[in-house]
Amino acid sequence: MPPPRFPAARGLLELTRLLPRISLPRTILFIGTILASAALPLAATIAIGLLIGAVPDAADAGPGSAEARHAYLLLAWGTLALLLQRMVDHLHRACARNLGRDLELLLQGRLIKAVSRPKGIAHLEDEGVLALLRITRQLGMDFIRPERAVEGLAAIAPQFLTAAGASVVLTFFNPWIGLAWFVTWPLVFMAMQGEYTRMSRTAYLRSSEMRETEYLRDLVISSGPAKELRVWGLLPWLLDRYDDTWRRRLEQARATERVRKPAAVGVVLALLALTAATSVSLVGAGLSGAVGFGALGVYLFALRAMLEFSAFDDEAAFISFGAMPIPRITQLDRRLEASVPDTTAGLPAAAPEHAIRFEGVEFSYPGAGQRVFEGLDLEIAAGTSLAIVGQNGAGKTSLAKLLAGLYSPDAGSILVDGTRLADVDPDLWRTRLSALFQDFTRYRLTVRDNITLGAPHLSDRTDLIWKACEPLGIADLIRSLPEGLDTVLSGGFEGGTDLSGGQWQRIALARALFSVQAGAKVLILDEPAAALDVRAEAELYEQFLDITAGVTTIVISHRFSTVRRADRIVVLEGGRVVEDGGHDELMAVGGRYAEAFGIQAARLAR
């Protein structure tokens, strides 16, 4: 889908709406410093202009005269305004920085909460959500920072108000000139913000190419791919590819991510023409005597204040660039909030006591045309072990994800002791559930954390940690590590260490077992040991089935020969159960299970 459009005004409106939520007193102070930063330069301008006109009369009247006292008063007025301007400016910028930082924290928190609000993961594969995430992920980049937008607003708003005040002053000289300035600056500002918005959208269009460049860079500097890159001699090729993509990115930026010439020329010519007309009129009026010396000074300084407003510098660009992600974060927040269904049913503490049932379940992944399941029926008796086998693509992992509540069925129901799982709060259900997938996460945390993440509220139960480790044969390994349970499992940290693939698998299995010890009543093992050889996987599964006897255990594997000890085995094919029974029963039938088991057993015997 095309990238979303981000009108500058909408982003700025969202930004100003959020500031009071951060801190109303600080927002009021921020507004006050904006007004003061705009009024003080104008006051100094008027005072200095009047002082210039008052000096000749004061010099003629001499010290101590009323004219001299008036000149000194104007001097004090102008000096005080300038001093106050300096003081207010520091307070104003500090207030803007603080509000900007807090705004970024607010938006980062809102983004994280929005993405984590849905209980499943289907939204992370929804194209509409991904389109919003593509740009919100850029939040915090140097030029796409709401903090910069606040600082830009802090710089531009006082200048804008000062220019507006100066245009009012010029109306006393010529109403048409004052009105022209009063109208021109907002039009110029909006025109330039439109250009900056276009540029920011263009930068968004190129973000995928930038991600490719960053990916190539990370390949070179990361330890993971370092071995292959050197063994295969890929570094020269990779560096050439990086240089090429970076060069193309810069060429595209030069061509599109800049202010277009017609817009720039039009704005500059309009300002030059108006400045020339004002200057000529002021000089002519001064020379003809139509305007007094003091008034002429005020008007000239007003024109100078007018020209100090700039819609072209970085601060003006940062308003549009920095405010760009804000409306989309709000939109994402609302979209994902609306996607969270209401849950009304509860579950008894002992559930599941009887059975988990799939009744007429239909399911397809977001954006996929082909269904994974069309009318899947399956009953899993509580407290038993069920092995689900089948070839790749049969729907084994999809079944596990549905049971874990990561996705919702398109039709049909999943019931736990007769209660529809769709009506139960997924967080409540997951307190009864432990799952370990083939692509389990290797957390760069301590051993203790890696294991107790299965039940974080029991992280201080060292006895349960060792109880989970002993049956898996990793207790001695952990004791041998530099800091034991407190060793960080990453060589990138001081005192940390790396583990082999098999050792990581046992750590992950210990995490699942720890969750069972903490009260989980359903355990899903989705090929977490697939990287092991067939014998090792079979031994591991048999050991785990012994350890978790009495727990509703669902073992998923594409290796038919590794799960023969399960109480019951079902064969999935095309999203349906095609065979169902114990190992001996299925072997006697001589169907798909028996055929696949025989082939894999023959390979193992070689």
Side-chain angles (χ1 to χ4, degrees), residues 162-221:
T162 299
S167 67
V168 172
V169 171
L170 287 175
T171 59
F172 289 95
F173 165 68
N174 185 313
W176 293 110
I177 288 179
L179 180 62
W181 279 110
F182 192 81
V183 171
T184 298
W185 267 128
L187 291 177
V188 167
F189 180 75
M190 287 189 290
M192 295 307 301
Q193 286 297 301
E195 283 296 297
Y196 295 138
T197 299
R198 179 192 60 79
M199 291 162 60
S200 64
R201 288 202 305 267
T202 304
Y204 166 66
L205 278 168
R206 305 299 180 192
S207 64
S208 61
E209 296 170 12
M210 197 64 195
R211 287 196 296 272
E212 179 188 356
T213 305
E214 292 170 351
Y215 172 69
L216 294 173
R217 177 203 63 196
D218 291 343
L219 282 177
V220 174
I221 65 177

Side-chain angles (χ1 to χ4, degrees), residues 10 14 17-18 21 107 110 114 132 136 325-337:
R10 183 182 173 193
E14 289 278 355
R17 186 178 61 83
L18 289 173
R21 297 189 181 183
L107 292 171
R110 176 175 288 188
L132 296 174
T136 54
I326 298 177
R328 284 302 180 257
I329 293 176
T330 301
Q331 184 180 349
L332 182 67
D333 192 11
R334 291 171 179 167
R335 176 170 182 154
L336 295 181
E337 183 177 21

Side-chain angles (χ1 to χ4, degrees), residues 8 11-16 19 30 34 92 96-97 99-101 103-104 107 139 141-158 189 193 314-327:
L12 188 58
L13 180 63
E14 289 278 355
L15 183 150
T16 55
L19 291 182
F30 182 56
I34 287 177
H92 178 56
R97 283 194 298 271
L99 281 175
R101 292 192 193 103
L103 176 62
E104 283 198 6
L107 292 171
L139 183 67
M141 290 176 60
D142 186 56
F143 63 96
I144 304 180
R145 297 193 61 182
E147 179 182 349
R148 292 288 189 92
V150 175
E151 292 178 2
L153 179 64
I156 295 298
F189 180 75
Q193 286 297 301
D314 287 345
E315 284 81 6
F318 285 147
I319 291 177
S320 181
F321 275 71
M324 181 178 63
I326 298 177

